[in-house]
Amino acid sequence: QVHLKESGGGSVQVGGSLRLSCVFSGDIPSVNDMAWFRRVPGKEREGVASIDINNYDNYAESVKGRFTCSKDTAKRTLYLQMDSLRPEDTAMYYCAASRSRLPGPPLKELAYDYWGQGTQVTVSS
């Protein structure tokens, strides 16, 4: 079992920045791909960024050039640096981990086995 705990969400104005963190614990050797997702009420959860064990990253088109996903394995922490935030980035953000290594790494919800409880990001104009 792997446990994930997000932090760093909050309210920010358009054009601002936030850095989300996700501390992971438990059966660490089983963790391969990791990712950030977000969900707006009434919509499906959307993959935002992913990273594999070799730190190869992948991004949704809507956040490319604005968001950066990174990982500090020693600190057991996944990060999402979010810059140039827009109102449409407002969502609950979730950290996810997979036991698998897949091409991409993927931004599909079904590819991930473990989930955090989320942290809210609100961008206002």
Side-chain angles (χ1 to χ4, degrees):
Q1 186 71 15
V2 175
H3 303 282
L4 305 169
K5 176 65 175 175
E6 304 93 337
S7 63
S11 296
V12 65
Q13 291 192 325
V14 170
S17 297
L18 281 174
R19 188 176 80 158
L20 305 183
S21 299
C22 171
V23 177
F24 49 96
S25 60
D27 186 14
I28 302 302
S30 72
V31 174
N32 286 292
D33 299 337
M34 298 192 74
W36 289 97
F37 286 76
R38 64 187 181 188
R39 181 161 57 194
V40 174
K43 293 188 177 181
E44 292 186 356
R45 196 148 43 184
E46 171 194 21
V48 173
S50 58
I51 190 166
D52 68 12
I53 60 171
N54 295 315
N55 292 322
Y56 182 86
D57 52 9
N58 186 28
Y59 299 91
E61 285 296 325
S62 59
V63 306
K64 272 184 182 177
R66 301 188 299 121
F67 290 11
T68 303
C69 182
S70 62
K71 184 173 54 174
D72 186 331
T73 303
K75 293 184 178 179
R76 298 182 177 183
T77 304
L78 180 72
Y79 300 101
L80 184 68
Q81 177 67 40
M82 305 186 295
D83 299 317
S84 301
L85 283 162
R86 304 168 180 171
E88 55 264 38
D89 295 318
T90 295
M92 183 72 78
Y93 282 73
Y94 299 89
C95 173
S98 173
R99 294 188 296 267
S100 305
R101 291 184 63 185
L102 297 174
L107 294 173
K108 298 295 185 183
E109 193 171 350
L110 289 176
Y112 294 87
D113 305 294
Y114 306 105
W115 294 86
Q117 293 190 336
T119 185
Q120 178 68 35
V121 171
T122 302
V123 184
S124 58
S125 55

